[in-house]
Amino acid sequence: MPHPPTQTALADLAGLWRIRVFEETVTRLRVEERIAGSVHLCIGQEAVPVGACAALDLTRDAVFATYRGHGWALACGADPAALFAELLGRETGTNGGRAGSAYLSDPGHGFYGENSIVGAHAPIAVGAALAARYDGSGRVALAVFGDGAMNQGAVHEAMNMASAFDLPVVFLVENNRYSELTPIAAMVRDDDLVSRAAAYGMPGSWVNGNDVGAVRRVVAEAVDACRSGRGPVLVEAHTQRLVGHYIGDAQTYRPRDEVEAARATEPIVVLTSALRAAGAGDAELSAVEARARAEIAAAAVTALAAPPADPATVKEHVHG
Amino acid sequence: MPHPPTQTALADLAGLWRIRVFEETVTRLRVEERIAGSVHLCIGQEAVPVGACAALDLTRDAVFATYRGHGWALACGADPAALFAELLGRETGTNGGRAGSAYLSDPGHGFYGENSIVGAHAPIAVGAALAARYDGSGRVALAVFGDGAMNQGAVHEAMNMASAFDLPVVFLVENNRYSELTPIAAMVRDDDLVSRAAAYGMPGSWVNGNDVGAVRRVVAEAVDACRSGRGPVLVEAHTQRLVGHYIGDAQTYRPRDEVEAARATEPIVVLTSALRAAGAGDAELSAVEARARAEIAAAAVTALAAPPADPATVKEHVHG
Amino acid sequence: MAEITYAQAVNAALRRALSEDPGTLLFGEDVALPGGVHGVTRRLRREFGERVFDTPISESAILGGAVGAAMMGLRPIVEIMWADFAFVAFDQLINQAANVRYVSRGRLTAPMTVRTQQGATPGSCAQHSQSVEALFAHVPGLRVCLPATPQDAYDLLLAAIGCDDPVVVIESRELYHSLKGPVDQDGPRAPIGGARVHRAGSDLSVVTWGPMLHTVLEAARVLESSGVSVEVIDARWIDPFDTDTVVDSVSRTGRLAVVHAANLTGGFGAEVVARVVERGVSLSAPPLRIATEDLRIPAAPALQRAAIPGRDTVAGRLLSMVAPATTA
Amino acid sequence: MAEITYAQAVNAALRRALSEDPGTLLFGEDVALPGGVHGVTRRLRREFGERVFDTPISESAILGGAVGAAMMGLRPIVEIMWADFAFVAFDQLINQAANVRYVSRGRLTAPMTVRTQQGATPGSCAQHSQSVEALFAHVPGLRVCLPATPQDAYDLLLAAIGCDDPVVVIESRELYHSLKGPVDQDGPRAPIGGARVHRAGSDLSVVTWGPMLHTVLEAARVLESSGVSVEVIDARWIDPFDTDTVVDSVSRTGRLAVVHAANLTGGFGAEVVARVVERGVSLSAPPLRIATEDLRIPAAPALQRAAIPGRDTVAGRLLSMVAPATTA
Ligand SMILES: Cc1ncc(C[n+]2csc(CCOP(=O)(O)OP(=O)(O)O)c2C)c(N)n1
Ligand SMILES: Cc1ncc(C[n+]2csc(CCOP(=O)(O)OP(=O)(O)O)c2C)c(N)n1
Ligand SMILES: [Mg+2]
Ligand SMILES: [Mg+2]
């Protein structure tokens, strides 16, 4: 079977559940209007952050994600209570309420943040990789973005510069086949996006983004290439969101049965079946889910009890 | 022999000489400080505009070039006297002195202008091609830019959008191997730039940019593909400048013998030899050059006699 | 006249433009098949077919595509989904669209309309919250307007589309679905320019634009109950800016305040103040700018409220402007 | 103290920064092996090796690369060859660099310096001629300066590099090789901010910045011969802007003029006027802005002279400001 040994797989499953439950809880808090504004969930895409972060050394590596980044923050090790608090606009949020759902960061855990400008973090990740040339850290930078971001100029410039200078960047495309409400297939001639790596003379790998073990393996190879000085790698992970682009998206642009069909191959289902096939029992599997539910529920309680961001601090930190 | 029949070849030679002599005259006028500011010459690269424009139908096609665009304007059919006048800041200039050497245009001849922002005209050409969808003109848009421009975000976005929408754009790279003072080879992993076409699912062709007949043939094929609805084509023409990036560039960044070696393969030398081999006599060949010299000299005289741009008009045409 | 929302008014103006002129195109991210992320362009694809289409997430290609199509004689209307996103492709506006007419001495033109929207709404992050009209207004060759009512959302957009030069229409995300009003859709297309006096007053002239108009109108009502009469001018167009209307008003009231949601420093409020004082209008109090603090926009609603002037802040500061005079 | 050019002063400041702090990097198009298109960064590659390097023509990658390297604790100095080119990548300044500190509550910072140059010179086209400081100055989180002398080219750049936040240093292309002066290279690094009074005067305060300083100083000499005493203030930093120095001066002279090469409308001159009048400084004449007309910059020298205020225009307009008072 393609999965790693059961202990790792159980840890992976725990990682998937934590994100899934976190996002479900966010949905509830948004619907209850305790969280304000646009929220982009990664339900269905959890295997990408869980697999990729397992392949990184977050004491020195740097992750740059998009607005769809709660799962990435969690996989990096951010405290779920601090993440909830951030979404809720509380003082104890990762960013003290300044960032919100779509722009939060937690550099203490290697999470250099979400970005709400499509593709803008790709060159920033190149800069983090560039710094590794000089600071002796051995850092690898990972920039994750969507299929639609591949058509943004900044991403092109980032890939070329990283390639030309052999910089340690993993460019990871979460290809969920939609850019907001528009299918990527209508916006490119060839939706085999990994083939663009060749334009930069950069290696590219495709991976099933619903298979957490496969993601870990492919990203680990990319990180190895980076760490050993061979320069950047493009990884395309095929996956899907099981929810709308944002909370409230009616998804009228999606074929009715698409999401239903995807439920059979989504990461938690896939990994749970594999673990069952490898001998894991129902009790063991349910316990993983239950622990995640308990942890996340407690985190939400903590966050909800925190004071709101203090308006008196609003002018702080514009400059040093 | 690879060249078209002699009559066409003689016309090509005339086209090359007109540009060459125009640029030499510009050099003189710049050195004499009659022309002010930065001037970018295309000496050595003349076969690309001459060949490409011969493949276009300039009653309906639209050409978008860079600051290195005098040759393109001439090949499109712009009046050399109006071009000189523009460089000299005269009222009779193509743009009445508002544009200068690096940003001039002559839409009456299909020359929609130079652009001094690297790569910025690529999306504009896409817009001109887009318009062809709706206006029934059958227009093909040609965007020509340098090797260095391939690393600019706007060019990437333009190529993708043109490909996705099958728009009639010829993207023509004049690869003279330098971006200002820096070799392209140091700024990309793979300096075989035409291979980037595949990233967009777009056909690409390489051509010897010193061979005017070859350029005409390859661009004609690209125009055909565009005109018949098959969408954009990327053409890479290898060529070289025999002069600096701008007038006054000391070219310390170039190997000493590089320019000398290039003199053996530059377009006028190549075409003259081919014509000789095909039976053309010295008198005939010199007459082509002499006619070009006479025409351009007369144009310069006309331009120098024109009045300077009228300061009283400076506020006109900011808005309609 | 039926009441429609601000978003519906935009939709109606687009429909009219697309119907009346076959050279009109509408394109941008998610504007066609999905009908826009805010539903503003709904049904237009169905009605106008291929003249309405979706694009890749490529703002340079969108804006450059508009410049090129406009140079060829079409009349493209493009959407930049958030004004904040214009900056990935600002070159196409400042160095391209704005130059077309001037540098060609009118041989070429760029009759294109860029629709976008801006403003902070609860939870919106620093990259989705800025009010950036001043950055467009400093670019000669671009026209800029900010409709604040459904009727203006309709009228200003049609005026923009009819203009033979590039126009940036900055709509208000917060008003799209929250503001309804009667909209006359049968009038002739207005030319660009012209402020509107929303409320006459004698003690103080307030100039504002965009959704801040409504905050100012509320503040004016508060001040009315304190016996202070506030004239409220919606600039509507900041290029061309209707200096005369403002100067006339201030000449009568002797006091000028400008209120905007953009950051204070370098905001267009400074331009308004400068134009009025340059004319030597005699003032009974120093002019006042009320604007968002010079900071990045925070996402948390409590922080946003502290950063962006609301009704009470505006009313309080306006009152302090007249207080010395009325107590004197 | 040896006299060196403005360009040499920039070069010297870069050398000192690269020598004193191994975390300093210098990169941009043609800055390393070729030493810069204007020769400003000559020899630095040879002296500092791989910390100085050339980049592709990719402004988003250059600026984004600086943001990322700065977030990791380095101190990148990058060049945007012409200020006009910043707009292909303005997002990296406005939506990225400027947000780093604020949105992370200081957990992350972006101590980066963006060197660029601007201005019209004879023949320079509309895409290579703009003066765009006001566009940067409206972005909270960015610092902006415009050195006008060799000493300031040295001092302000070092202050910028020492600043823990993103700073845009707008140099003057026309001054690079035309202006020489003594430069003290041994002083301590100055902090950011602070205007400089270049000339004391009693009739009129003129605020300016960048190469326009020299035009204003010439105009002031012309006015001196007419018996008018002009105080000339070089703002040097427009963020942070030294309002106090200006207000002090205007309080003494009773007259304010601002002169800049940027287009009038929405230029930073409006901000200066607004700040002074808001303070209620009593004025004996309306404030005056002298700026480039609201147009695209034409290439022809004769047209440029008509568009951009020169010595005589400045002197004439300043004189007309005091004339009514002196003849009264
Ligand atoms: C420069 C820019 N343009 C447009 C947007 C609006 N926008 C936000 S998300 C998104 C779609 C991105 O699609 P993709 O890259 O596939 O990522 P996904 O949302 O599917 O994870 C768009 C267009 C933006 N945030 N930034
Ligand atoms: C966006 C932008 N960045 C930088 C420049 C400065 N610049 C002008 S020409 C040039 C080199 C372009 O090289 P290439 O595309 O190879 O064209 P070539 O000059 O060789 O014809 C550069 C960097 C510019 N004009 N625009
Ligand atoms: Mg996607
Ligand atoms: Mg080149």
Side-chain angles (χ1 to χ4, degrees):
Chain A
M1 69 145 224
H3 286 291
T6 304
Q7 276 321 307
T8 308
L10 282 171
D12 286 345
L13 187 66
L16 299 178
W17 272 119
R18 289 174 81 234
I19 298 176
R20 177 72 52 94
V21 176
F22 183 90
E23 295 289 62
E24 288 170 357
T25 310
V26 168
T27 310
R28 184 167 53 73
L29 293 168
R30 178 67 188 83
V31 170
E32 290 168 0
E33 300 198 347
R34 303 210 205 200
I35 293 173
S38 253
V39 177
H40 308 84
L41 302 173
C42 69
I43 290 178
Q45 307 190 179
E46 299 90 344
V48 189
V50 171
C53 289
L56 294 169
D57 170 1
L58 289 162
T59 63
R60 54 178 173 161
D61 294 336
V63 171
F64 297 83
T66 72
Y67 46 85
R68 201 180 300 292
H70 306 161
W72 284 91
L74 285 165
C76 283
D79 173 8
L83 293 173
F84 278 130
E86 185 56 33
L87 274 61
L88 291 159
R90 306 299 166 105
E91 192 61 33
T92 55
T94 47
N95 302 63
R98 283 171 151 78
S101 164
Y103 195 26
L104 58 85
S105 54
D106 189 7
H109 290 95
F111 188 64
Y112 284 84
E114 300 186 298
N115 209 301
S116 282
I117 301 295
V118 167
H121 54 302
I124 299 176
V126 170
L130 183 65
R133 276 253 155 113
Y134 305 93
D135 65 14
S137 62
R139 174 189 313 111
V140 169
L142 183 142
V144 55
F145 40 79
D147 42 284
M150 290 293 284
N151 297 331
Q152 185 68 214
V155 172
H156 165 74
E157 296 191 4
M159 289 190 182
N160 178 67
M161 191 154 107
S163 300
F165 296 168
D166 299 326
L167 297 176
V169 188
V170 179
F171 296 106
L172 174 48
V173 186
E174 291 182 311
N175 187 347
N176 62 11
R177 302 185 189 90
Y178 289 91
S179 320
E180 288 204 337
L181 322 179
T182 296
I184 186 68
M187 294 299 140
V188 295
R189 265 202 181 177
D190 176 3
D191 64 357
D192 182 19
L193 299 173
V194 71
S195 70
R196 292 195 179 178
Y200 311 102
M202 169 171 63
S205 312
W206 186 93
V207 66
N208 175 356
N210 292 329
D211 178 344
V212 64
V215 172
R216 184 200 292 104
R217 247 185 344 268
V218 169
V219 174
E221 280 164 25
V223 169
D224 266 3
C226 285
R227 201 93 74 195
S228 64
R230 278 173 284 148
V233 180
L234 176 63
V235 177
E236 177 181 357
H238 261 230
T239 180
Q240 68 291 307
R241 30 173 177 83
L242 295 174
V243 292
H245 172 67
Y246 53 91
I247 296 177
D249 172 6
Q251 299 190 71
T252 49
Y253 53 89
R254 266 177 115 168
R256 258 172 243 283
D257 49 1
E258 190 185 278
V259 176
E260 277 325 301
R263 290 197 192 284
T265 52
E266 61 102 333
I268 292 185
V269 166
V270 166
L271 182 55
T272 305
S273 314
L275 279 163
R276 263 212 194 86
D282 278 352
E284 195 177 14
L285 293 169
S286 319
V288 172
E289 177 180 350
R291 271 194 301 274
R293 291 204 178 275
E295 181 201 356
I296 299 299
V301 169
T302 305
L304 285 162
D310 180 0
T313 67
V314 75
K315 293 198 226 174
E316 293 172 6
H317 299 299
V318 176
H319 298 288
Chain B
M1 69 148 224
H3 288 291
T6 304
Q7 275 321 307
T8 309
L10 282 171
D12 286 346
L13 186 66
L16 299 178
W17 272 118
R18 290 175 81 234
I19 299 176
R20 177 72 53 94
V21 176
F22 183 91
E23 297 288 62
E24 287 170 356
T25 310
V26 169
T27 310
R28 185 168 53 73
L29 294 169
R30 179 69 188 81
V31 171
E32 291 170 359
E33 300 200 347
R34 302 210 205 198
I35 293 173
S38 254
V39 177
H40 309 84
L41 302 173
C42 69
I43 290 179
Q45 306 189 180
E46 299 91 342
V48 189
V50 172
C53 289
L56 293 169
D57 170 2
L58 289 161
T59 62
R60 54 179 172 161
D61 294 336
V63 172
F64 297 84
T66 71
Y67 45 85
R68 201 180 300 292
H70 306 163
W72 284 91
L74 284 166
C76 282
D79 173 8
L83 294 173
F84 278 130
E86 185 55 34
L87 274 62
L88 291 159
R90 306 299 165 105
E91 191 60 33
T92 55
T94 47
N95 302 63
R98 284 172 149 79
S101 163
Y103 194 25
L104 59 84
S105 53
D106 189 7
H109 290 95
F111 189 64
Y112 284 83
E114 300 186 297
N115 209 302
S116 282
I117 301 295
V118 167
H121 55 302
I124 298 176
V126 171
L130 183 65
R133 276 252 154 113
Y134 304 94
D135 64 15
S137 60
R139 175 189 311 110
V140 169
L142 182 142
V144 54
F145 40 79
D147 42 284
M150 289 294 284
N151 297 331
Q152 185 68 214
V155 172
H156 166 74
E157 296 190 5
M159 289 191 183
N160 179 67
M161 192 154 106
S163 301
F165 296 169
D166 299 326
L167 297 176
V169 189
V170 179
F171 295 106
L172 174 49
V173 186
E174 290 181 313
N175 186 349
N176 62 10
R177 302 186 189 90
Y178 288 92
S179 321
E180 288 204 335
L181 322 179
T182 296
I184 186 68
M187 294 299 141
V188 296
R189 265 200 181 179
D190 177 3
D191 63 358
D192 181 19
L193 299 173
V194 71
S195 71
R196 291 195 180 179
Y200 311 101
M202 170 171 62
S205 310
W206 186 93
V207 66
N208 175 355
N210 292 329
D211 178 343
V212 63
V215 172
R216 184 199 294 102
R217 251 188 336 272
V218 168
V219 173
E221 279 165 26
V223 169
D224 266 3
C226 285
R227 201 94 73 195
S228 64
R230 277 172 284 149
V233 180
L234 177 63
V235 177
E236 177 181 356
H238 261 231
T239 180
Q240 67 292 306
R241 30 173 177 83
L242 295 174
V243 291
H245 172 66
Y246 55 90
I247 296 178
D249 173 7
Q251 300 191 72
T252 50
Y253 53 90
R254 265 178 116 168
R256 257 172 243 282
D257 49 0
E258 191 186 278
V259 176
E260 277 325 301
R263 290 197 192 283
T265 52
E266 60 102 333
I268 292 187
V269 166
V270 166
L271 183 54
T272 305
S273 315
L275 278 163
R276 262 209 195 89
D282 277 352
E284 194 178 13
L285 293 169
S286 318
V288 171
E289 177 179 349
R291 270 194 301 275
R293 291 205 179 273
E295 182 202 355
I296 299 299
V301 169
T302 305
L304 284 162
D310 180 1
T313 67
V314 75
K315 294 198 223 172
E316 292 172 7
H317 298 300
V318 177
H319 298 288
Chain C
M1 228 158 19
E3 299 230 324
I4 59 176
T5 64
Y6 184 105
Q8 287 164 337
V10 175
N11 187 274
L14 292 171
R15 176 172 297 102
R16 177 162 162 192
L18 286 158
S19 314
E20 289 181 357
D21 180 356
T24 309
L25 304 181
L26 176 66
F27 56 97
E29 295 158 18
D30 300 318
V31 298
L33 296 171
V37 282
H38 299 105
V40 173
T41 50
R42 248 177 228 155
R43 289 177 307 277
L44 299 173
R45 165 72 177 205
R46 215 180 305 150
E47 290 178 42
F48 299 98
E50 298 235 318
R51 284 165 56 212
V52 177
F53 58 93
D54 295 309
T55 66
I57 311 178
S58 302
E59 281 77 7
S60 292
I62 294 168
L63 291 174
V67 174
M71 283 168 82
M72 298 300 126
L74 296 187
R75 213 162 265 271
I77 307 162
V78 294
E79 177 173 303
I80 296 295
M81 203 186 277
W82 254 255
D84 315 69
F85 309 162
F87 304 115
V88 300
F90 201 33
D91 172 72
Q92 288 292 341
L93 293 174
I94 186 168
N95 289 320
Q96 309 301 333
N99 279 328
V100 172
R101 179 187 290 275
Y102 187 78
V103 172
S104 71
R105 280 211 293 188
R107 287 206 185 108
L108 293 167
T109 59
M112 58 189 267
T113 302
V114 181
R115 284 182 50 244
T116 188
Q117 54 79 19
Q118 72 178 14
T121 46
S124 61
C125 81
Q127 298 169 324
H128 280 63
S129 299
Q130 296 163 96
S131 291
V132 294
E133 65 275 8
L135 300 177
F136 298 112
H138 187 45
V139 182
L142 297 184
R143 300 301 200 176
V144 187
C145 65
L146 299 95
T149 67
Q151 184 71 59
D152 278 346
Y154 182 86
D155 289 339
L156 272 50
L157 179 53
L158 276 175
I161 297 168
C163 177
D164 290 333
D165 289 305
V167 183
V168 180
V169 181
I170 306 179
E171 299 166 1
S172 163
R173 182 170 76 259
E174 81 179 77
L175 299 182
Y176 273 148
H177 305 297
S178 70
L179 186 68
K180 271 197 155 181
V183 175
D184 177 359
Q185 301 182 29
D186 302 318
R189 293 201 196 190
I192 65 168
R196 169 166 293 155
V197 178
H198 269 267
R199 193 193 152 100
S202 53
D203 293 326
L204 170 62
S205 305
V206 182
V207 180
T208 188
W209 49 84
M212 194 55 91
L213 169 68
H214 305 286
T215 306
V216 170
L217 287 170
E218 285 175 41
R221 283 190 284 272
V222 171
L223 263 69
E224 186 171 41
S225 63
S226 315
V228 178
S229 163
V230 180
E231 180 142 312
V232 178
I233 301 170
D234 177 5
R236 305 199 300 172
W237 290 85
I238 58 171
D239 187 333
F241 182 77
D242 184 354
T243 309
D244 289 340
T245 295
V246 174
V247 167
D248 284 355
S249 173
V250 179
S251 305
R252 279 186 284 102
T253 64
R255 291 190 187 84
L256 167 67
V258 193
V259 187
H260 59 60
N263 299 114
L264 179 69
T265 297
F268 199 76
E271 180 67 30
V272 177
V273 168
R275 287 189 182 209
V276 170
V277 298
E278 277 169 351
R279 294 262 195 118
V281 179
S282 107
L283 296 173
S284 46
L288 178 69
R289 291 180 293 163
I290 306 175
T292 294
E293 302 280 354
D294 286 332
L295 41 70
R296 314 305 308 164
I297 309 291
L303 296 176
Q304 288 188 349
R305 278 190 300 269
I308 305 169
R311 183 196 62 180
D312 295 345
T313 305
V314 173
R317 296 197 58 198
L318 293 179
L319 193 60
S320 72
M321 214 183 159
V322 285
T326 50
T327 58
Chain D
M1 228 158 18
E3 298 229 325
I4 58 175
T5 64
Y6 184 106
Q8 288 165 336
V10 175
N11 186 275
L14 292 170
R15 176 172 297 101
R16 176 162 163 190
L18 285 158
S19 313
E20 288 181 359
D21 180 355
T24 309
L25 304 181
L26 176 67
F27 56 97
E29 295 158 19
D30 299 318
V31 298
L33 296 171
V37 282
H38 299 105
V40 173
T41 51
R42 249 178 227 155
R43 290 178 306 276
L44 298 173
R45 166 72 176 206
R46 215 181 305 151
E47 290 178 42
F48 300 99
E50 298 234 319
R51 285 165 56 212
V52 178
F53 59 92
D54 295 309
T55 66
I57 311 179
S58 302
E59 281 76 8
S60 292
I62 294 169
L63 291 174
V67 174
M71 285 168 81
M72 299 300 127
L74 295 188
R75 212 163 267 269
I77 307 163
V78 294
E79 178 174 304
I80 296 295
M81 203 184 278
W82 253 255
D84 314 69
F85 310 162
F87 304 115
V88 299
F90 201 33
D91 172 73
Q92 288 293 341
L93 292 174
I94 186 168
N95 289 319
Q96 309 300 334
N99 278 328
V100 171
R101 178 187 291 275
Y102 187 79
V103 171
S104 71
R105 280 210 294 190
R107 287 204 183 108
L108 292 168
T109 59
M112 59 190 264
T113 302
V114 180
R115 284 183 49 246
T116 189
Q117 55 77 20
Q118 71 179 16
T121 46
S124 62
C125 81
Q127 298 171 324
H128 280 63
S129 299
Q130 297 163 97
S131 291
V132 294
E133 65 275 8
L135 300 177
F136 298 112
H138 188 45
V139 182
L142 298 184
R143 300 301 201 175
V144 187
C145 64
L146 298 95
T149 67
Q151 184 70 59
D152 278 346
Y154 183 86
D155 289 340
L156 271 50
L157 179 53
L158 277 175
I161 297 168
C163 176
D164 290 334
D165 288 306
V167 184
V168 179
V169 181
I170 306 179
E171 299 166 1
S172 163
R173 181 169 77 261
E174 80 180 77
L175 299 182
Y176 274 149
H177 305 297
S178 70
L179 187 67
K180 270 196 156 184
V183 175
D184 177 359
Q185 301 183 29
D186 302 319
R189 292 200 198 192
I192 65 168
R196 168 166 293 154
V197 178
H198 269 266
R199 192 193 154 101
S202 53
D203 294 325
L204 171 60
S205 304
V206 182
V207 180
T208 188
W209 49 84
M212 195 54 92
L213 169 66
H214 305 287
T215 306
V216 170
L217 287 171
E218 284 175 41
R221 281 190 285 273
V222 172
L223 264 69
E224 188 172 38
S225 63
S226 316
V228 178
S229 163
V230 179
E231 180 143 312
V232 178
I233 302 170
D234 176 5
R236 305 198 301 172
W237 290 87
I238 59 172
D239 187 334
F241 182 78
D242 184 353
T243 309
D244 289 341
T245 295
V246 174
V247 167
D248 284 355
S249 173
V250 179
S251 304
R252 279 185 284 103
T253 64
R255 291 189 188 84
L256 167 67
V258 193
V259 187
H260 59 60
N263 299 113
L264 179 70
T265 297
F268 200 75
E271 180 67 30
V272 177
V273 169
R275 287 187 183 210
V276 169
V277 298
E278 277 170 352
R279 294 262 195 116
V281 180
S282 105
L283 295 174
S284 45
L288 177 69
R289 291 180 292 164
I290 306 175
T292 293
E293 302 282 352
D294 286 331
L295 41 71
R296 313 307 307 164
I297 309 291
L303 296 175
Q304 288 188 350
R305 279 192 298 272
I308 305 169
R311 184 196 61 179
D312 295 344
T313 306
V314 173
R317 297 196 58 197
L318 293 180
L319 193 61
S320 72
M321 213 181 159
V322 285
T326 51
T327 58

